[in-house]
């Protein structure tokens, strides 16, 4: 499913069955406070359905603390349900920089690339 | 004379953040700022603007003012509002801690070379952020309408 975002510079790509037990949320473009509620709702919906979630930021050019707050909340919710939320890095440093600066790199599970993130999500949920 | 910078007056709502980023991106290109430095400035300025959008005004809303200027060797961004002012730490509700306003200000302090805050209850807050900038020949600019040489 390809859901429309709030404009040409931002979008959410959601796949409910990326792998057994794992859904995908790909953040495309820029995401900030304007996206926070929608992202939180989508993550809640996937976790409520019993999935673990891989959040792919390979094609993300910008996120802010508002988005980080939504991701961290979903991570905690997933952990409470014995599911997981894993960040899949791409090659760009811009998003990872925010995780480093805020200390979230140590708090939210992450992996290089989507395939590794899927494996980690499945391992942590098992 | 090269004049670099901009002044924006925007409604303090989430749509303003993308506008601010676009204006910053154009300025970064003009200043030939490297990617890491540009990313850090964007993070800090967006956090400052987000604080205005989230906390400065009540339901009636208000305005967000952003001014950027590039005097030699520095990039100075001022984010201002006419809102409630920043609540002293001891008076903040618990939910403002953790990933709330506190983290935003910590992030700003981590990436900016200098942070100056002026705040007065019900009269607004001004955040003046200074970043190192290696642009050559940059001059102070404070007006969006100033012609570019």
């Amino acid at each position: 499913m390809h859901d429309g975002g709030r404009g040409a510079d931002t979008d959410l790509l959601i796949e409910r069955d990326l792998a057994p037990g794992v859904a995908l949320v790909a953040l495309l473009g820029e995401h900030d406070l304007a996206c926070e509620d929608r992202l939180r709702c989508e993550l809640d919906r996937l976790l409520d359905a019993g999935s673990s979630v891989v959040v792919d930021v390979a094609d993300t050019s910008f996120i802010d603390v508002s988005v980080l707050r939504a991701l961290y909340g979903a991570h905690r919710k997933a952990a409470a349900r014995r599911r997981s939320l894993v960040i899949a890095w791409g090659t760009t440093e811009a998003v990872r920089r925010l995780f480093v600066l805020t200390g979230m790199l140590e708090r939210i599970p992450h992996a290089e690339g989507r395939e590794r993130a899927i494996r980690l999500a499945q391992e942590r949920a098992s | 004379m090269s004049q670099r910078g901009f002044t924006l007056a925007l409604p303090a709502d989430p749509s303003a953040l993308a506008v601010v980023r676009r204006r910053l991106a154009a300025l970064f290109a003009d200043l030939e700022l490297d990617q890491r430095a540009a990313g850090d400035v964007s993070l800090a300025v967006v956090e400052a603007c987000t604080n205005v959008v989230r906390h400065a005004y009540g339901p009636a809303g208000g305005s967000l003012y952003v001014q950027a200027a590039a005097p030699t060797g520095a990039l100075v961004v001022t984010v201002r509002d006419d809102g409630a002012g920043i609540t002293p730490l001891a008076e903040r509700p618990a939910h403002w801690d953790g990933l709330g306003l506190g983290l935003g200000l910590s992030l700003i302090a981590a990436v900016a070379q200098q942070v100056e805050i002026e705040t007065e209850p019900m009269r607004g807050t001004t955040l003046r952020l200074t970043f190192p900038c290696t642009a050559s020949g940059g001059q102070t600019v404070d007006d969006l309408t100033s012609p570019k040489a």
Side-chain angles (χ1 to χ4, degrees):
Chain A
M1 182 172 77
H2 197 203
D3 289 347
R6 61 177 173 81
D9 297 333
T10 181
D11 213 345
L12 289 181
L13 176 66
I14 297 167
E15 290 183 27
R16 298 188 192 287
D17 300 306
L18 177 66
V22 181
L24 168 75
V25 175
L27 305 182
L28 311 178
E30 301 182 341
H31 295 264
D32 57 28
L33 178 64
C35 310
E36 180 187 2
D37 287 345
R38 180 161 176 266
L39 174 61
R40 194 186 302 276
C41 285
E42 295 291 356
L43 292 170
D44 278 349
R45 194 153 58 183
L46 294 170
L47 293 170
D48 288 344
S51 297
S52 290
V53 180
V54 166
V55 178
D56 191 331
V57 296
D59 294 312
T60 310
S61 52
F62 181 87
I63 67 168
D64 70 355
V65 169
S66 304
V67 172
L68 207 55
R69 185 185 296 115
L71 295 176
Y72 185 59
H75 156 67
R76 294 183 63 175
K77 180 173 181 173
R81 297 177 176 204
R82 294 181 173 273
R83 295 291 181 267
S84 61
L85 180 141
V86 178
I87 306 296
W89 303 118
T91 55
T92 59
E93 287 295 316
V95 175
R96 199 185 311 227
R97 175 86 169 142
L98 178 63
F99 280 74
V100 171
L101 288 169
T102 56
M104 282 295 131
L105 204 60
E106 287 78 39
R107 296 196 193 184
I108 302 179
H110 52 91
E112 299 293 334
R114 194 180 288 187
E115 294 307 315
R116 289 184 181 178
I118 291 170
R119 283 200 297 275
L120 182 58
Q122 290 174 326
E123 288 167 10
R124 291 180 65 93
S126 60
Chain B
M1 175 185 292
S2 173
Q3 296 186 323
R4 297 162 176 177
F6 62 80
T7 299
L8 294 172
L10 301 163
D13 65 47
S15 66
L17 304 175
V19 177
V20 172
R21 279 200 305 276
R22 281 198 293 275
R23 295 309 301 263
L24 285 172
L27 180 60
F28 297 154
D30 195 26
L31 297 174
E32 300 179 358
L33 215 57
D34 73 67
Q35 206 168 9
R36 165 69 71 90
D40 283 357
V41 175
S42 286
L43 282 174
V45 174
V46 168
E47 284 313 312
C49 294
T50 298
N51 283 340
V52 172
V53 173
R54 292 178 73 98
H55 302 297
Y57 299 104
S63 295
L64 162 69
Y65 308 94
V66 182
Q67 184 177 62
T72 303
L75 173 58
V76 181
V77 183
T78 303
V79 176
R80 182 171 67 82
D81 66 72
D82 306 315
I86 295 177
T87 306
L89 197 60
E91 298 174 20
R92 287 180 197 165
H95 70 269
W96 280 25
D97 295 331
L99 287 177
L101 182 65
L103 182 62
L105 289 176
S106 298
L107 175 65
I108 291 168
V111 299
Q113 190 174 49
Q114 187 176 359
V115 180
E116 298 164 75
I117 303 176
E118 294 174 25
T119 186
E120 194 171 343
M122 305 317 297
R123 301 195 67 169
T125 299
T126 299
L127 213 61
R128 188 168 185 266
L129 312 176
T130 303
F131 304 90
C133 176
T134 55
S136 58
Q139 303 294 319
T140 301
V141 169
D142 58 8
D143 191 342
L144 177 64
T145 58
S146 295
K148 187 177 174 183

